[in-house]
């Protein structure tokens, strides 16, 4: 019992680089190729409305497309003006003899269809992508040295820890849920959806100007266009990763961190969208901690240290190592 409590003082934070180390094909560019092959209608929408590059399995340069590599962050970059323009033919002509009241709903219906494909359907396909991953056999030499009885916070959707290391499920918190389990997988951008809303226009104070303003607003108002804009606003809500809500739901896990004295960050890029989780981790830690952070290439070292420094961690407490160099101590 005493030994178990001591081991629980280590926290391993697991990111996608950990899966890649085990030769799992979990890059977002691989998801893009999966979309291209199996769900081209969704893939085409990402090319059309986000500026994603067309990726090709034989073209290494295309696999490094910056938007595919930063897929979650790129979800905040939908070109809403282009989406409205592409479906502008469905804005009804109210003065036409052929106009029917149902015509005013065509534009929002088409936009809603696009929104659902790149949010709800995309997440279902992402689950399909994870479910279809191959888990290759790996040698003992390729296994990372882990203390299996520690706590694990995984940002991945796979069961790499359980499959290769026999880590007990109860010691793992899958912060964005795990493929094959009951809850839907969580992925999305980290920008507050309210930032994408148009600011309401302030009416003039002068009574005569206010009257003209009201008349102008009435003349320019189009129900179909406004409902289309509502659907686009709904997109930014549906594609948002609600980190604070997730933190609140996982508060029991974060409350366990007050005994942690060593934190390992393995294969995590410390991207902005996930920094609120690290803030919560630091808030729940007590006393002095050593932070050991993995890197893959020499050029990544600074990118691993800077986010931690911005969170107030002393540089003297941060050590960098490659996954292959980890030791249990």
């Amino acid at each position: 019992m005493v030994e178990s409590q001591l081991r629980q003082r280590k926290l391993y934070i697991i990111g996608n680089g950990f899966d890649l180390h085990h030769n799992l094909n979990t890059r977002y560019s691989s998801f893009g190729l999966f979309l291209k092959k199996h769900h081209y209608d969704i893939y085409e929408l990402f090319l059309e409305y986000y500026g994603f590059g067309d990726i090709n399995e034989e073209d290494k340069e295309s696999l490094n497309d910056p938007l595919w590599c930063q897929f979650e962050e790129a979800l905040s970059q939908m070109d809403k003006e282009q989406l409205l323009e592409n479906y502008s033919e469905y804005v009804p002509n109210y003065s036409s003899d052929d106009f029917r009241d149902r015509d005013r709903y065509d534009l929002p219906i088409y936009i809603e269809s696009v929104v659902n494909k790149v949010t709800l359907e995309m997440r279902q396909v992402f689950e399909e992508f994870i479910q279809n991953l191959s888990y290759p056999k790996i040698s003992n030499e390729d296994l990372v040295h882990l203390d299996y009885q520690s706590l694990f916070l995984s940002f991945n959707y796979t069961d790499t820890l359980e499959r290769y290391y026999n880590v007990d499920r109860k010691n793992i918190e899958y912060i964005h849920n795990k493929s094959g389990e009951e809850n839907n997988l969580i992925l999305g951008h980290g920008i507050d959806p309210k930032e994408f809303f148009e600011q309401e226009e302030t009416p003039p104070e002068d009574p005569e100007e206010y009257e003209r303003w009201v008349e102008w607003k009435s003349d320019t108002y189009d129900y179909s266009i406004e409902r289309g804009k509502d659907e686009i606003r709904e997109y930014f809500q549906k594609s948002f990763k609600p980190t604070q809500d997730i933190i609140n739901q996982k508060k029991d896990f974060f409350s366990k961190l007050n005994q942690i004295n060593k934190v390992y960050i393995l294969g995590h890029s410390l991207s902005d969208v996930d920094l609120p989780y690290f803030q919560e981790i630091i808030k729940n830690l007590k006393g002095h901690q050593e932070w050991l952070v993995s890197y893959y290439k020499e050029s990544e070292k600074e990118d691993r240290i800077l986010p931690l420094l911005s969170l107030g961690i002393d540089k003297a407490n941060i050590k960098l190592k490659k996954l292959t160099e980890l030791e249990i101590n």
Side-chain angles (χ1 to χ4, degrees):
M1 183 68 174
V2 173
E3 180 185 4
S4 176
Q5 289 176 340
L6 287 173
R7 289 185 173 187
Q8 289 281 339
R9 291 185 179 181
K10 297 175 184 176
L11 171 67
Y12 288 92
I13 301 172
I14 307 296
N16 192 44
F18 187 81
D19 276 355
L20 295 175
H21 172 79
H22 295 81
N23 295 319
L24 271 70
N25 197 11
T26 53
R27 290 183 175 85
Y28 282 124
S29 56
S30 299
F31 175 53
L33 288 171
F34 185 84
L35 284 173
K36 186 176 184 178
K37 183 176 181 180
H38 300 287
H39 300 273
Y40 193 81
D41 56 335
I42 299 176
Y43 176 80
E44 196 172 32
L45 292 174
F46 282 116
L47 268 59
E48 173 74 15
Y49 295 116
Y50 300 81
F52 283 92
D54 188 13
I55 51 180
N56 192 304
E57 200 161 9
E58 291 75 33
D59 184 356
K60 290 186 178 180
E61 186 173 340
S62 74
L63 293 175
N64 292 321
D65 178 275
L67 289 184
W68 284 112
C69 292
Q70 301 294 325
F71 179 75
E72 288 189 279
E73 289 87 341
L75 292 176
S76 69
Q77 299 177 28
M78 174 192 262
D79 190 339
K80 52 186 183 293
E81 287 80 14
Q82 185 65 49
L83 179 56
L84 274 172
E85 182 179 336
N86 282 3
Y87 288 94
S88 60
E89 63 182 286
Y90 295 103
V91 177
N93 182 356
Y94 300 98
S95 61
S96 171
D97 293 337
D98 296 327
F99 171 75
R100 298 293 181 270
D101 189 61
R102 64 175 180 270
D103 296 343
R104 68 178 69 230
Y105 303 105
D106 287 348
L107 176 66
I109 286 173
Y110 278 104
I111 291 179
E112 181 186 25
S113 175
V114 171
V115 167
N116 285 339
K117 278 187 176 296
V118 295
T119 54
L120 305 179
E121 290 186 38
M122 181 272 289
R123 288 193 183 95
Q124 293 171 358
V125 174
F126 188 75
E127 169 81 45
E128 182 184 338
F129 164 68
I130 297 295
Q131 288 283 337
N132 279 276
L133 289 171
S134 296
Y135 288 80
K137 290 183 179 180
I138 60 173
S139 66
N140 289 335
E141 294 178 356
D142 292 326
L143 290 174
V144 178
H145 291 137
L146 300 178
D147 190 337
Y148 309 148
Q149 296 185 41
S150 297
L151 286 178
F152 293 81
L153 176 63
S154 179
F155 284 79
N156 299 340
Y157 309 96
T158 59
D159 64 351
T160 309
L161 287 168
E162 295 155 86
R163 187 182 295 256
Y164 290 131
Y165 296 92
N166 294 317
V167 176
D168 195 318
R169 177 67 178 86
K170 72 176 186 295
N171 288 340
I172 309 171
E173 182 63 61
Y174 290 95
I175 193 71
H176 295 143
N177 299 329
K178 178 188 171 187
S179 177
E181 295 188 344
E182 184 177 351
N183 295 321
N184 294 327
L185 303 185
I186 300 170
L187 68 161
H189 65 82
I191 301 177
D192 189 332
K194 293 178 182 178
E195 294 193 21
F196 299 99
F197 295 176
E198 294 179 4
Q199 296 295 319
E200 290 189 13
E201 188 177 349
T202 304
E205 295 181 1
D206 180 80
E208 291 185 7
E209 289 185 10
Y210 176 77
E211 187 174 339
R212 288 194 294 269
W213 179 81
V214 170
E215 184 177 351
W216 174 76
K217 293 288 285 185
S218 178
D219 290 342
T220 57
Y221 179 84
D222 187 295
Y223 176 88
S224 181
I225 292 176
E226 293 305 315
R227 295 291 73 75
K229 290 180 178 179
D230 286 344
E231 294 298 335
I232 292 175
R233 282 191 284 269
E234 187 67 17
Y235 162 77
F236 289 104
Q237 182 64 53
K238 288 180 177 178
S239 60
F240 173 61
K241 180 190 285 183
T243 52
Q244 190 55 55
D245 291 343
I246 296 168
I247 288 169
N248 293 338
Q249 293 166 10
K250 310 285 188 179
K251 61 182 180 181
D252 288 345
F253 172 80
F254 289 107
S255 67
K256 298 176 184 177
L257 304 183
N258 57 5
Q259 296 298 315
I260 296 295
N261 56 25
K262 183 172 287 190
V263 181
Y264 295 80
I265 303 177
L266 307 184
H268 196 291
S269 63
L270 293 159
S271 60
D272 290 345
V273 69
D274 288 330
L275 287 187
Y277 299 119
F278 286 87
Q279 292 173 328
E280 186 67 17
I281 290 168
I282 292 169
K283 186 173 76 173
N284 284 272
L285 294 173
K286 304 296 181 184
H288 172 84
Q289 288 82 33
E290 179 183 343
W291 291 72
L292 194 148
V293 187
S294 76
Y295 69 96
Y296 181 65
K297 296 184 294 186
E298 291 291 323
S299 59
E300 295 175 344
K301 286 185 173 181
E302 187 175 9
D303 292 336
R304 297 296 174 267
I305 290 179
L306 289 178
L308 296 177
L309 296 179
S310 72
L311 294 172
I313 298 173
D314 192 327
K315 189 174 183 179
N317 294 336
I318 303 172
K319 294 182 179 179
L320 295 171
K321 282 196 175 183
K322 292 189 174 183
L323 284 174
T324 53
E325 299 172 347
L326 287 185
E327 298 176 355
I328 300 175
N329 49 46

